[in-house]
Amino acid sequence: MKRITLILAAALLLTGCGDYDSAPGAGAESSSEEITEEVTEEVTEEATEELTETPSAYIDDEGSIVVDGKKYKDGSSEIQEKVDNMMESMASYLALTPYEVPEEYMTVPEDWQRVSHYGVSISCPAECVFEEDKGMYVSESSEMTVALEDPDAEPEDPELAAQLEEIEREGKVEDTEAFEALGLEYDGSKRSYMRNYLSLTREEADAVEDKELRERIHGMGAGFMFYDKVFMIPGEEYDVYLLHFGGKISEDGQESFVIELLTDDKEYRAGAYAGDLETAMKIAASIKLD
């Protein structure tokens, strides 16, 4: 749990102690008609602040946050207050329930092109052109971009990749303990993680008696802090998640999705960006495993 608190403290300094007190996913409606209406609304929130260099930060043996040599006692500093607010914000993402993709967004126009890369295929408008140096399909006239990520690409920084893998291994152990406390089976895959997390409620998490496990479950919301809605296309062979960026992250007038296609043993990622929600969602929902 200290690791989560430290990350939050550093993030707050990076963003000038910005506002993290609200969770975009909280209070979402559930009916198909309401979902269809909601996803067509424009997002007009301000863009996120630009990040600065990472400060030196750690948590000492007394549990105090130390940033660039300055100690902040628990409960007595602006940073600690912001950390507490961020922890509450992450916990509130337990209310983030996946929507079904509205039926009208599940088909694409006949003149769209179907492209295939890295084991998945996706549809994009006919005028999109592949830019090999960027690995993206781009249409400048309509401000559309379709980006596909190679899941087997060699890391640019092997040392950093090794560190992240170790953190991920440790995290899976903690996740397993947390899900077991909730009576949920977890096989270590991202597919299993997403299904478990998005099925939880805040009430179930708060009812966990072990404080460390309860805080671990609350902290899982960090992975959803940039999204205001999640759409799910479940399947037997794989599940697809469309993660819609909130207004603080998206550029003005742009609708953006991170797309995750998850099998039991592999993760595929892509991105869809367009000037309107219908186009972006039709692109995102069209992804399939080859």
Side-chain angles (χ1 to χ4, degrees):
M1 192 59 218
K2 283 186 177 181
R3 184 168 70 242
I4 293 175
T5 303
L6 178 58
I7 291 171
L8 294 182
L12 285 165
L13 287 169
L14 283 170
T15 56
C17 292
D19 178 14
Y20 290 89
D21 299 340
S22 61
E29 300 295 335
S30 59
S31 73
S32 293
E33 182 176 349
E34 290 169 333
I35 292 168
T36 304
E37 291 177 358
E38 184 172 356
V39 298
T40 57
E41 295 178 357
E42 293 186 14
V43 181
T44 58
E45 297 180 54
E46 296 179 1
T48 190
E49 297 179 15
E50 186 174 341
L51 299 183
T52 58
E53 293 184 1
T54 305
S56 170
Y58 64 93
I59 296 177
D60 66 14
D61 294 336
E62 298 176 353
S64 298
I65 300 170
V66 182
V67 181
D68 287 340
K70 185 175 181 180
K71 180 180 290 192
Y72 297 87
K73 291 289 186 180
D74 288 350
S76 63
S77 72
E78 181 183 2
I79 287 182
Q80 185 61 48
E81 181 182 354
K82 288 292 184 178
V83 167
D84 292 343
N85 289 341
M86 288 183 72
M87 284 300 301
E88 175 59 31
S89 177
M90 288 191 297
S92 70
Y93 276 78
L94 288 162
L96 192 63
T97 303
Y99 292 129
E100 292 182 6
V101 176
E103 186 64 33
E104 61 266 32
Y105 295 150
M106 291 296 293
T107 57
V108 301
E110 293 183 0
D111 63 344
W112 279 25
Q113 57 180 312
R114 188 81 185 166
V115 299
S116 180
H117 294 272
Y118 314 129
V120 297
S121 61
I122 195 168
S123 294
C124 56
E127 68 269 22
C128 285
V129 177
F130 185 65
E131 296 185 359
E132 190 168 354
D133 60 326
K134 298 179 181 178
M136 300 177 179
Y137 285 84
V138 178
S139 171
E140 294 183 0
S141 62
S142 53
E143 300 180 348
M144 285 179 291
T145 301
V146 182
L148 300 109
E149 183 178 308
D150 183 356
D152 301 314
E154 292 294 327
E156 294 183 5
D157 187 337
E159 184 176 346
L160 176 59
Q163 293 174 357
L164 293 175
E165 286 179 7
E166 179 60 28
I167 292 173
E168 184 177 359
R169 279 193 292 270
E170 294 176 0
K172 284 184 178 180
V173 173
E174 295 175 345
D175 292 342
T176 299
E177 295 174 350
F179 285 135
E180 285 180 350
L182 292 159
L184 297 172
E185 295 184 4
Y186 174 57
D187 61 14
S189 69
K190 182 69 178 291
R191 185 185 191 189
S192 177
Y193 180 97
M194 292 287 280
R195 284 202 168 200
N196 281 351
Y197 180 84
L198 291 171
S199 71
L200 293 177
T201 66
R202 177 67 184 271
E203 291 72 23
E204 289 173 321
D206 289 348
V208 174
E209 294 184 0
D210 187 287
K211 181 181 178 181
E212 288 292 322
L213 289 177
R214 185 170 65 250
E215 290 181 339
R216 174 67 186 174
I217 297 166
H218 288 170
M220 289 177 178
F224 298 87
M225 291 185 74
F226 298 119
Y227 310 115
D228 60 0
K229 297 180 184 67
V230 176
F231 298 85
M232 180 184 183
I233 306 174
E236 294 186 8
E237 188 178 358
Y238 58 85
D239 299 328
V240 173
Y241 291 92
L242 315 182
L243 308 171
H244 183 263
F245 277 113
K248 291 185 178 180
I249 303 300
S250 297
E251 294 182 9
D252 187 32
Q254 185 182 69
E255 298 289 346
S256 307
F257 284 95
V258 167
I259 310 159
E260 294 193 350
L261 188 155
L262 307 175
T263 71
D264 288 335
D265 54 12
K266 200 161 187 176
E267 304 168 20
Y268 300 87
R269 287 170 62 90
Y273 318 90
D276 62 275
L277 184 64
E278 179 178 357
T279 301
M281 183 170 280
K282 283 187 174 183
I283 294 171
S286 73
I287 194 168
K288 289 182 173 55
L289 189 68
D290 283 347

